[in-house]
Amino acid sequence: MSEGEESPVPLSGGGGGTGNGTGSGGGERQWYAPMDTAGGEEDSQPASPGSPAPATNIHTSNEYMELDEPEMLDEKKALLEEFERKRRARMIHVTTDDSEVKQQLRLLGEPICLFGEGPADRRNRLKELLSRLGEDALKKTAAGQQERETTEHDQQHPEETWYHEGPESLKEARMFLVNYSIARARARLKSEHLNYQVPEATRTAKRQEVQNRLRSFGLLGSQNADSRPISYCNFSPNGKFLATSSWSGLVKVWQVPQCVIEHTLRGHNCYVDSVVWHPSATISMEPSALNLVSSGRDGSVQLWSLSSDEPLAEFPVFESRVSRVGFHPSGRFLGACVHDNSWRLWDLELQEEVLFQEGHSKPVYCIAFQNDGSLAATGGMDSYGRVWDLRTGRCMMFLSGHQNPVLAIDWSPDGYHIVTGSEDNTARIWDVRQRRCTYTIPSHTGIVTGVRYDRTGGQYIVTCSYDGSVRLWCHGSFQAMRALEGHGQKVMGVDISPVDGTIATCSFDRTFKIWGPD
């Protein structure tokens, strides 16, 4: 060892040395600091015995070993995604019709056929596409395409009101309706003014008298009218006769309240859905003239006199069912509800159809004319009603509120109230002046098949239903006055006598009943 170097090992007590430490005679072991690689510090102190080794003797590093490289993780992730996609593809249900498969491929913007591809391969390719794009890809693509087509159509054909020229007979009919309705509206308004001049106490007493009369209503007579259910009933203008229609195809005329048969009219070969009297029948109309009109489920409409049991005439058969017919107050026009989503207006003097009116999205079921003759109200299977101005052909009010088809409709004698009955078991009151529903009557627990306003003053309403009951309601307060129960099955129709307020009902139990004050 050269001079000036420190020994890395302790010197024994027997040897002499020339190092930095001095030996002891007792042979005590000497400790020295490690030698620095750069030469070391000469003044460093020796470590004490038993002390831990300096940190410089321990290998430390900030490097870590990667378990998997990023490329391997991406491969595993892609592999898992491919397994998941194949699982989804197996779960997707695709049509087996090859033409539909091609149509769906075209909708997705893919070729409908590849070289050497068969129907099974094409179906598997569609599954693969849907597994990548999602099962709702077809719906989204179809919705987007439809939206684009709609936008293009709207741009090419902007919304506009269009008119077409009607026949000369329609112009003549509308001129007649204008002149007829103005005179009647003037008379109605004059009567309303006179009524409001009556003291309030007198009007209140009259209402109470009507309510007391309604509470006293009971059964006056009952008659087995046919071997099949009775579908409709209607009082004659003089109140002495009742016409009934039946599913047997017969129309019968009865004397009331005796319930004695007067005429049996044979002509229909199917269910007869309705029968109505001419406004002048039994008053000024001759028995040999037109007195009754009936409609059948096969689309037939037949005209009857009281002097023969054979039809006086017949309309050309409609292609769809005619559920209801109704006379205009003038007696010159007849409205027919056809199940081709339209209603028709016939001029009986000209013997031709003057109006083909569309507007409902489903079959039109019922129709009623305002007493003035200027307006008509229709109810349809689309759950809506419409009010039409016959003088212009426009729909002036939309009756929206029922949840199910509207099966019955009627006008109040005041000319601006309408009552409708629906399959949602309710009756609704509408105000044409306010253009809204003013009251909803939760009238029955079954389908409401008939509604009628009191013919004399409109002070009460009668409703009938499939729940087998007939109910009387006070107009204004809409308080239930009386429930008439006697039919064993569904009540199909109801009517009120225009003379004395007697009520007639017909039912599925093949009977009609007459109700009145005890």
Side-chain angles (χ1 to χ4, degrees):
M1 184 179 293
S2 60
E3 185 178 356
E5 285 186 322
E6 298 181 351
S7 173
V9 296
L11 299 178
S12 62
T18 60
N20 292 338
T22 57
S24 62
E28 185 177 358
R29 183 175 294 180
Q30 302 293 321
W31 295 88
Y32 299 91
M35 182 173 58
D36 187 39
T37 57
E41 295 181 359
E42 295 183 359
D43 56 350
S44 60
Q45 298 296 327
S48 60
S51 62
T56 54
N57 289 340
I58 301 174
H59 176 74
T60 60
S61 175
N62 293 328
E63 297 180 359
Y64 298 93
M65 183 175 64
E66 299 271 350
L67 296 178
D68 287 312
E69 295 185 1
E71 293 80 3
M72 295 179 64
L73 290 177
D74 292 342
E75 290 178 3
K76 290 183 178 180
K77 184 177 180 181
L79 189 60
L80 291 174
E81 290 178 352
E82 181 67 14
F83 285 153
E84 179 65 20
R85 187 190 62 77
K86 290 182 177 179
R87 186 190 68 82
R88 289 198 307 269
R90 289 194 300 270
M91 299 295 292
I92 294 175
H93 297 285
V94 177
T95 178
T96 56
D97 188 347
D98 191 50
S99 61
E100 293 185 12
V101 172
K102 291 180 179 179
Q103 184 179 2
Q104 292 176 3
L105 286 171
R106 187 181 297 278
L107 192 62
L108 293 173
E110 296 291 329
I112 64 172
C113 186
L114 299 179
F115 180 76
E117 185 180 53
D121 299 330
R122 190 161 31 250
R123 187 167 177 267
N124 291 334
R125 181 158 61 93
L126 178 59
K127 278 190 174 184
E128 294 288 332
L129 286 171
L130 292 179
S131 67
R132 292 190 179 93
L133 302 176
E135 292 187 52
D136 58 345
L138 286 172
K139 296 180 181 179
K140 292 180 179 178
T141 305
Q145 183 177 357
Q146 184 178 4
E147 185 177 354
R148 288 193 299 271
E149 292 177 355
T150 303
T151 304
E152 293 176 359
H153 182 272
D154 292 342
Q155 292 175 353
Q156 296 175 0
H157 306 281
E159 185 177 350
E160 60 182 8
T161 302
W162 57 274
Y163 301 92
H164 63 86
E165 185 176 357
E168 187 66 24
S169 58
L170 178 59
K171 180 180 179 181
E172 294 178 3
R174 286 181 172 166
M175 289 300 299
F176 172 84
L177 291 169
V178 169
N179 297 327
Y180 179 85
S181 62
I182 288 177
R184 290 178 65 92
R186 187 180 293 115
R188 176 176 57 83
L189 293 175
K190 183 178 180 180
S191 176
E192 289 286 337
H193 286 306
L194 293 176
N195 186 41
Y196 278 109
Q197 291 176 4
V198 176
E200 180 65 26
T202 304
R203 283 184 284 169
T204 302
K206 186 176 181 180
R207 283 195 297 269
Q208 292 177 351
E209 181 182 351
V210 171
Q211 293 176 9
N212 292 333
R213 180 172 175 269
L214 294 178
R215 292 190 182 98
S216 67
F217 263 57
L219 182 63
L220 300 181
S222 178
Q223 178 65 45
N224 289 323
D226 207 292
S227 59
R228 299 298 304 277
I230 309 301
S231 58
Y232 202 80
C233 60
N234 189 235
F235 274 106
S236 64
N238 67 357
K240 296 181 179 180
F241 299 98
L242 180 73
T244 61
S245 61
S246 168
W247 283 8
S248 66
L250 298 178
V251 175
K252 296 183 179 182
V253 178
W254 305 81
Q255 294 181 14
V256 289
Q258 299 87 356
C259 299
V260 178
I261 191 166
E262 184 77 12
H263 298 283
T264 300
L265 309 177
R266 296 174 174 85
H268 289 282
N269 297 317
C270 63
Y271 293 172
V272 183
D273 282 331
S274 67
V275 57
V276 293
W277 291 88
H278 189 283
S280 300
T282 69
I283 297 178
S284 60
M285 188 70 69
E286 293 293 331
S288 59
L290 172 61
N291 282 265
L292 288 161
V293 174
S294 61
S295 65
R297 197 161 293 189
D298 60 354
S300 61
V301 176
Q302 296 184 350
L303 286 64
W304 307 89
S305 68
L306 296 179
S307 59
S308 173
D309 60 355
E310 296 292 331
L312 190 66
E314 184 175 358
F315 284 0
V317 177
F318 295 101
E319 295 181 357
S320 302
R321 171 187 177 185
V322 180
S323 55
R324 294 287 185 268
V325 289
F327 272 103
H328 185 267
S330 65
R332 175 176 172 177
F333 303 99
L334 181 74
C337 300
V338 188
H339 278 221
D340 60 358
N341 306 354
S342 71
W343 65 275
R344 319 292 180 87
L345 189 68
W346 278 76
D347 190 329
L348 299 178
E349 290 186 0
L350 299 178
Q351 300 181 8
E352 66 174 307
E353 181 183 297
V354 295
L355 180 63
F356 179 102
Q357 185 65 63
E358 295 178 312
H360 289 271
S361 60
K362 289 185 178 181
V364 184
Y365 194 85
C366 52
I367 187 171
F369 291 95
Q370 185 201 36
N371 285 345
D372 293 351
S374 59
L375 304 177
T378 57
M381 304 298 285
D382 55 3
S383 306
Y384 300 113
R386 289 178 179 268
V387 179
W388 307 88
D389 189 340
L390 299 176
R391 300 162 296 185
T392 62
R394 295 180 179 177
C395 177
M396 57 167 292
M397 183 176 175
F398 190 65
L399 311 181
S400 174
H402 284 294
Q403 303 302 316
N404 288 318
V406 179
L407 303 182
I409 195 166
D410 196 28
W411 285 88
S412 170
D414 62 19
Y416 55 85
H417 280 114
I418 300 174
V419 59
T420 55
S422 169
E423 283 188 11
D424 60 10
N425 306 348
T426 66
R428 285 178 176 261
I429 310 300
W430 311 83
D431 193 322
V432 177
R433 301 171 304 176
Q434 302 179 31
R435 294 175 180 265
R436 67 181 183 90
C437 176
T438 57
Y439 197 82
T440 300
I441 306 175
S443 49
H444 293 273
T445 59
I447 295 173
V448 179
T449 54
V451 292
R452 280 289 186 270
Y453 262 107
D454 167 30
R455 300 298 183 196
T456 55
Q459 298 187 34
Y460 62 93
I461 300 169
V462 181
T463 62
C464 66
S465 168
Y466 271 14
D467 62 10
S469 67
V470 180
R471 299 183 184 273
L472 282 62
W473 311 85
C474 181
H475 179 71
S477 65
F478 303 108
Q479 179 183 359
M481 293 288 101
R482 181 75 165 156
L484 308 177
E485 297 181 353
H487 285 289
Q489 297 186 39
K490 300 176 286 189
V491 182
M492 309 284 283
V494 63
D495 196 25
I496 302 177
S497 171
V499 178
D500 57 3
T502 302
I503 297 174
T505 57
C506 58
S507 170
F508 203 82
D509 61 9
R510 306 185 299 278
T511 67
F512 71 86
K513 298 183 185 297
I514 307 297
W515 312 81
D518 292 339

